[in-house]
Amino acid sequence: MAELDRLALTPISLRPSSERANIPIARQTTKPPPSAKLAAFYTQLADLLRAGVPLLRSLRVLGGAALRSPLQTHLVALAEAVQDGKDLATAMADRGGVFPAAHIAMVRAGEKGGFLESGLARLGKLVELQAAMRAKVIGSLIYPCVIGIFGSVLVLAMALLYIPQFRSVFEGIDLPWITRVLFAFSDVLRHLWLGVMVAIIAGGIGGWYLMRDPRFRGFMGRVPLRIPVVRSILRLLAVGRFSRVLGTLLG
């Protein structure tokens, strides 16, 4: 009540805090939230601060608006940390990798320099552009993936159903090596399909475990850099991403 009186606010309704226990809270996770959610959070927080709403109240408002969102738990934690006296950048850093280091640096610069509103607005625009680019790339890959899946199903159907029917026609004929490979592929799928399925599942599990190893991920990350055309594309993308982030930080 003293805090409300200090802010010249008059409560119009009161309820016991125990009732808030029934409000559904999103499951806490250290996985970074989607870029689109982060962009919306930064932009909305900048708008609230620019409108004169205090930081703590802004975080609580956004935390309540993000009901059942992956970001809700983190916004509630940010509000509690700010209430305990921490600055926003430190509270974001304490969330264990939820917020990228570049975002934390921009927020810290805005707090120290007194331009947190504009810094958050720039950050929201940056993350929004990155999310739009990522969505554009994923959208461009959908069609090739569908074609690849359809082609794989078609090849399997031919190897299991059609090729065995023509096998007897070519008995006793000296066939090209590519035809012999095709017949062998069909035989393997027909007679050893269980072993093939086990090998695929084992390979997927093994690849998942290997990708958890930083050294293996580093090795796989360097492989595309040795392909001439792919190397040029990846370098251009890296330079573009670096320049955009650096420009935003300097701005």
Side-chain angles (χ1 to χ4, degrees):
M1 292 298 295
E3 178 66 14
L4 291 175
D5 183 66
R6 187 185 67 82
L7 298 174
L9 298 175
T10 302
I12 58 175
S13 65
L14 298 174
R15 64 176 178 177
S17 59
S18 58
E19 292 184 8
R20 296 185 58 86
N22 297 324
I23 299 179
I25 300 294
R27 183 175 59 89
Q28 184 171 357
T29 175
T30 57
K31 182 180 179 181
S35 299
K37 297 290 185 180
L38 278 179
F41 162 61
Y42 295 140
T43 302
Q44 293 171 359
L45 182 59
D47 293 339
L48 288 173
L49 294 177
R50 195 178 288 118
V53 181
L55 175 60
L56 179 58
R57 182 171 178 81
S58 299
L59 292 174
R60 287 176 173 171
V61 168
L62 294 178
L67 197 63
R68 294 187 181 274
S69 169
L71 203 56
Q72 183 200 13
T73 304
H74 306 300
L75 296 185
V76 173
L78 289 180
E80 293 176 353
V82 170
Q83 183 179 11
D84 292 339
K86 293 184 178 179
D87 53 58
L88 180 58
T90 302
M92 292 170 62
D94 292 342
R95 295 309 297 162
V98 173
F99 300 95
H103 299 185
I104 297 174
M106 293 182 67
V107 171
R108 180 172 286 109
E111 287 182 311
K112 300 298 182 182
F115 50 87
L116 181 59
E117 299 89 345
S118 60
L120 286 171
R122 285 178 178 269
L123 182 56
K125 186 65 176 177
L126 171 67
V127 178
E128 183 180 356
L129 290 174
Q130 291 176 338
M133 179 61 68
R134 186 178 296 107
K136 185 176 181 180
V137 172
I138 294 176
S140 301
L141 292 176
I142 291 178
Y143 180 72
C145 290
V146 172
I147 295 298
I149 294 173
F150 179 77
S152 301
V153 173
L154 184 60
V155 169
L156 290 176
M158 291 180 61
L160 294 173
L161 302 177
Y162 295 103
I163 293 179
Q165 298 180 9
F166 296 97
R167 182 71 177 269
S168 59
V169 178
F170 298 98
E171 290 293 340
I173 301 178
D174 188 15
L175 300 175
W177 68 270
I178 187 65
T179 306
R180 294 196 300 269
V181 170
L182 187 60
F183 284 154
F185 175 69
S186 176
D187 292 339
V188 169
L189 289 180
R190 290 172 58 218
H191 302 296
L192 301 175
W193 62 270
L194 183 59
V196 172
M197 292 294 297
V198 172
I200 293 175
I201 296 175
I205 296 176
W208 180 73
Y209 275 103
L210 285 175
M211 289 304 296
R212 299 177 63 185
D213 186 359
R215 294 175 297 178
F216 183 79
R217 287 203 308 269
F219 170 76
M220 294 301 297
R222 289 190 295 270
V223 169
L225 297 177
R226 299 173 182 174
I227 304 175
V229 177
V230 178
R231 175 176 56 199
S232 301
I233 295 176
L234 292 179
R235 284 182 175 177
L236 287 174
L237 290 174
V239 170
R241 186 181 302 112
F242 163 76
S243 301
R244 185 182 299 275
V245 174
L246 179 61
T248 305
L249 286 169
L250 294 176

